[in-house]
Each structure stands twice: as C-alpha cells, then as structure tokens.
Amino acid sequence: MGAPEQLRWISIVISIALPACGYPPLERISGSTDASTDGSSADQSFITLDWQIATVNASTGAPDPQPTYAPITPVPNIRIARLNDPDDPSALGAFMVTGYFSTNGTIAIPRDFMMKPWRLEYTLTDGIPHEVQWQPQDKLGHIAVPLFGRLDRDQPPPGAGYTITPTNPPGSYTFPRVFTTGIWSEGKVPTPLPTGSTIDYDFSNSVSLSGPKARPDATKGDQALVVDYINDGTSGCRIATGSGAIDPTLPLGFHSAVAPAWDAGLKAVTADTIDSTLITRLPTALGNLDVAVTKASSPILFGAAASINMPGLAGGPAAMQVASAVLPVPVMVTLLQCPYNTNPFPATAQPASLDQFPQILHVQLVDSRMALGATLASGMETVLTSTGSAFTMAFPAPIPMAITLTTPAKGTIPLDGTTEQVDIGPASGTLTLAFTPEAGANLRGDYYDVILHKIVSGSLTTERIYTVPTPANNSAPSVLIDGTLLQAGADYVFEIRSYKGHPHAVTGDFAPVDYPYGA
C-alpha cells in the first residue's frame, strides 16, 4: 500500500481579532429537512451516507460474501455548501443545514449543486467534522462508514467471562489472548498468568476492534478462541504457538467453563521480501521530512481478516492488537507479527476456526520525527491477499509530495521544506492545501484525506477531516480550508493520507473496494 501519511505542522500567528465561532450564519435548505421520509425520489437529487457492515453467516460463522448497508444511527449532523461562493469565487460558500433520511441514509441535495463542486459536512458521535469536497454523480454519490460486525449489539453482561481448561493443555502459557469473531474483539489475559492449565478470563478485558463493545452470540454466528504467543528472540517475531476454539456465550455474572481441544500445529507463511527499492522509496519521496525507517515501528502482520470486501485499514492504531503499530491497521486476528525486514517468516499457529476468513498480510513502513514534543509519523502501508500460496509485495498508493499552503496573507508557502515551523499570517479567508501525488508504475490514488490536527502539550487532537477524490482530469488534488476555523496562536499539523482501493471514488462512490489495498 504505497502511500504515506505525511505530517507537517504549522504555527499560526494571528494579528486580527477572530469571531468566537468560525462557522458562518446557518441557512436552511427547504424541502429536505424531514428525516422521516425518503429523499430518493426520481426527481430529487441525492447522495447516500450510511454504514457499510461486514457480517457473518449465522449458521456457519463464515463471512458473508458482500457487505450490507444501513442508515447511520444516531442520525449524524449534516450541512452542505457550495465549494465556492457564487458571489465571491475566492470565498467558500456558506453552510446550510439539511436533513438525513433515516429510512435509507439519503441526503437530499439541491439540483444545481450537482453542476459544480460542493462540500458535505457530516459529524458522527466522535464529534469530529468530516468535510467531503467533491462533485459526485447524482444518485451515485455514496459515503460508506465501515463497521465490522452486525449493527444490533447487546452490552456484555457484568461479571461475564470464560474459565478455559483445554482437554490437552500446553505445558504453560506465555502471552495468551482471547478473541471473538463476528463481533470482533481482542483481550489480553491479565497477569499473573496461570501456573496450571486453566485460564480465567473476564470479558471486561476485551476491547472492541470495530464499533461499540458487544456481547458475542453463538446463535448469530459469533465465535471465540484463545491463542497463546511467544516472543521469538531469533527472528524478533511474536508467534502464535497454539489455540483453542471456545463457546462464545457469556452468562450473566459468572465465567462459563469451557474445555477446548488445544491445537499446537504450526504452518508456514510465505511472502515476497521487501526489496531495497521499496525501502528507499519512502525516504526519497519524503525528502526533508525523512528521518529513518525503523524496525521498531514498521511491523509486518499476518492473520485472518474480518472481510476483504471492506476497506482494509479501518481498525485505527491498534493499542491492543499491535503495540508497535503507528498507522491504521486491518480488523483482523493477528497470528504473526515481525519486523518489516524479516524473511523467511517463522511458522505460526493458524487456528482451524479461522480458516473460513481470508488470510492477509499487512505491512507498515514508518518514518517518524518529533515536533513540539509530538511524534509525527510518515509512512506507507499495504494490505495484501494471498496469490496462490504466497503474498506478492506491493505498496500501491502514491505518496503525497510537493506540499504547499496558499494563504491570503503570505501567498504560497512550501510545507515540505527545511523549516519545521511556518508562520502563515492571519487565519482568515480561504486557504488552499495542495500536493502532487508520487508518479510511478502500478500506483493509483483513489482519494485523499487531509486531517487537521492541533498540537497541544505534545499530543495531537483531531480538529477536522477533509476528503477529496482524485480529480477526474487527474490534476493535482487540493483542499480548501476556512481560515476562521484556525485558532489564534495555535500550532497545527496537516496529515495527508492517500488511498488506493476505492476504484469508483472518482464518481463519488466510496463503497466498492479492491485489493491490494494501500495508504
């Protein structure tokens, strides 16, 4: 997956007074605010914003072949605006509140919006505004928010868990973890580890890998398993050494006794070596932003994925799954974790209960630096599916390069130069962030996220996410930014992510995916 996250921070020095709120006065679009009716009539322009859901077969637990879709609940806050003000092309159009049709996830759009680029702002329960700047085809525009696991979820009962005693236990446990599939979760068995053959596990130790934490239900196809790992000093890998499938049912108030058969068999994992041209591609493209690609923050992960009909990098940084992962990860059960330069891989346990899920290889190459006490990670990553018996290495997304910010006060400022801190002058008017995707064979940028972070006490707080599809004419992507959203005297950084894996994004349809997936 060939595109890095590129980070460059800027310090804003403001010399004018700013209003208390950066949003312009709200207008309301007529005829599209009734969220109880269907906005998709033949004479109404609309786009769709909904959940894209990876489910499993209730009888077999195997992944369903295609995602399902459902309106987002709770109803998101929606605003729309022309990208440029018709009366002042140098200014952004003012936002208008519009409705969300909870019957089918459609958003009614004025027909004349479809004639020129416009912007859609939606805010989910995380409170972070997402702003899509696009010109989708009427009725084909589709923003799909991925959710791995069914939409209907029950809270886990208090005090529930598993008392796991394999019928043929290993001699000891080293780093055991408990996973559930269908409703995807992972949890470490807390220390002190058992000295005998029984693992006592409370489900409160589980962390959801996608969506709200939930109670697994065997009648709906959910499964559970326990996997033990070792850290191998020779290869530097974390290796699964054995596993047992267990009944996922969680009783109220106590730990159910389960007695799985322990499978200690190991199988080979085969993949291409990451050759030197791939290793040098990242620092070459980063230029002044380059520090070094390090083994400590550049892992390779092998395991079973929830679905390959969904976006490959929807898991977020994996606090539970992979301690060294800095960039987003797939929703998966990780069975092998190695440094990026490992080859051949050691054999690892591959539980039979996961055979029905697709096997994937996920690779991150990360190049980090520090600014104002914050770690800024640039990198490129990929999610690969097996071609026959092996994984063919490819990083298919282009690295954003030649990054500039054009401001009313300072003109065009390079953000990839040797100066780390950049003064952009008064935060007013419209700013334009522009960049040029890396060129090369087998590279494809389908769309770009520009994430605006504020640096506060050495930490990044996400302020806003901008999304732009690759322009239909293949011109350089750019994002228009309302300068009044920037706080006087604050320090900001732009994170630019390119994505390969959404072949219809150019038409405004982000739902279909293909692999290899890259960012």
Side-chain angles (χ1 to χ4, degrees):
M1 152 181 242
E5 303 179 328
Q6 289 200 355
L7 298 176
R8 168 64 65 180
W9 67 274
I10 57 176
S11 179
I12 310 300
V13 180
I14 307 298
S15 58
I16 59 174
L18 294 180
C21 175
Y23 292 133
L26 294 181
E27 302 176 23
R28 184 172 292 276
I29 180 172
S30 61
S32 63
T33 57
D34 180 3
S36 65
T37 58
D38 188 336
S40 60
S41 61
D43 60 348
Q44 172 68 62
S45 294
F46 68 89
I47 61 97
T48 303
L49 168 67
D50 57 9
W51 296 120
Q52 183 182 38
I53 308 168
T55 54
V56 297
N57 183 281
S59 300
T60 66
D64 287 326
Q66 294 297 328
T68 59
Y69 296 87
I72 292 176
T73 54
V75 172
N77 295 323
I78 306 290
R79 303 194 304 172
I80 62 173
R82 302 176 192 275
L83 193 58
N84 299 105
D85 187 330
D87 298 324
D88 181 3
S90 66
L92 290 166
F95 275 118
M96 302 178 288
V97 174
T98 188
Y100 183 75
F101 295 98
S102 58
T103 54
N104 63 357
T106 58
I107 301 168
I109 305 298
R111 191 173 297 280
D112 60 353
F113 267 46
M114 295 297 175
M115 307 303 173
K116 292 183 178 179
W118 56 283
R119 53 191 182 133
L120 166 74
E121 179 195 81
Y122 66 95
T123 306
L124 306 179
T125 54
D126 61 6
I128 301 172
H130 293 244
E131 181 176 322
V132 185
Q133 299 183 2
W134 60 345
Q135 189 177 355
Q137 294 184 20
D138 190 7
K139 301 179 177 60
L140 293 182
H142 188 183
I143 299 170
V145 181
L147 177 67
F148 293 82
R150 62 184 176 277
L151 194 57
D152 59 304
R153 301 182 178 213
D154 296 325
Q155 287 291 316
Y162 311 113
T163 300
I164 307 166
T165 308
T167 56
N168 54 331
S172 62
Y173 301 102
T174 307
F175 299 114
R177 298 190 179 201
V178 175
F179 298 87
T180 60
T181 64
I183 291 291
W184 291 81
S185 71
E186 176 179 352
K188 296 178 182 178
V189 175
T191 54
L193 294 177
T195 56
S197 59
T198 297
I199 294 173
D200 194 51
Y201 179 79
D202 196 274
F203 203 73
S204 62
N205 292 301
S206 291
V207 172
S208 175
L209 302 183
S210 181
K213 187 174 177 178
R215 179 182 195 168
D217 186 341
T219 67
K220 296 181 179 179
D222 301 336
Q223 302 179 72
L225 68 158
V226 57
V227 182
D228 195 21
Y229 300 85
I230 62 167
N231 288 330
D232 179 51
T234 302
S235 65
C237 298
R238 189 189 77 172
I239 303 169
T241 57
S243 66
I246 61 178
D247 183 343
T249 304
L250 285 175
L252 176 62
F254 67 97
H255 296 183
S256 62
V258 290
W262 192 257
D263 179 3
L266 305 180
K267 298 179 183 178
V269 179
T270 306
D272 290 351
T273 301
I274 304 178
D275 63 38
S276 59
T277 59
L278 293 176
I279 301 299
T280 58
R281 178 181 151 203
L282 179 60
T284 298
L286 289 177
N288 293 313
L289 304 182
D290 170 50
V291 177
V293 175
T294 62
K295 290 193 296 183
S297 57
S298 299
I300 293 180
L301 314 177
F302 165 79
S307 172
I308 56 171
N309 294 306
M310 298 272 286
L313 296 169
M320 285 295 295
Q321 279 180 286
V322 189
S324 63
V326 177
L327 309 182
V329 297
V331 175
M332 65 186 294
V333 175
T334 303
L335 300 171
L336 181 67
Q337 175 186 338
C338 294
Y340 74 87
N341 58 349
T342 301
N343 202 288
F345 295 120
T348 189
Q350 298 179 38
S353 62
L354 298 178
D355 285 349
Q356 53 201 341
F357 292 97
Q359 291 187 341
I360 62 169
L361 197 71
H362 170 55
V363 189
Q364 295 190 5
L365 298 179
V366 180
D367 189 333
S368 299
R369 69 185 194 280
M370 299 294 294
L372 288 185
T375 299
L376 306 183
S378 298
M380 58 185 187
E381 52 179 341
T382 187
V383 182
L384 306 169
T385 55
S386 178
T387 54
S389 60
F391 295 93
T392 300
M393 201 60 63
F395 290 86
I399 299 173
M401 302 167 61
I403 306 164
T404 62
L405 184 70
T406 301
T407 72
K410 299 277 188 171
T412 299
I413 305 169
L415 296 185
D416 55 0
T418 56
T419 302
E420 187 70 83
Q421 188 170 7
V422 179
D423 172 15
I424 69 164
S428 61
T430 301
L431 289 67
T432 302
L433 182 75
F435 49 91
T436 301
E438 174 193 20
N442 302 316
L443 297 181
R444 193 184 89 203
D446 296 328
Y447 79 93
Y448 300 84
D449 278 343
V450 173
I451 306 171
L452 177 66
H453 301 287
K454 185 188 293 184
I455 301 179
V456 181
S457 301
S459 298
L460 301 182
T461 60
T462 301
E463 302 289 306
R464 197 173 189 86
I465 300 174
Y466 300 87
T467 297
V468 290
T470 295
N473 61 2
N474 287 321
S475 58
S478 62
V479 171
L480 299 184
I481 298 164
D482 182 357
T484 63
L485 298 179
L486 302 175
Q487 179 184 343
D491 298 303
Y492 293 90
V493 56
F494 288 113
E495 175 181 353
I496 306 173
R497 294 184 186 172
S498 62
Y499 289 92
K500 181 274 173 186
H502 297 262
H504 297 170
V506 67
T507 68
D509 185 359
F510 291 85
V513 299
D514 61 9
Y515 282 73
Y517 195 94

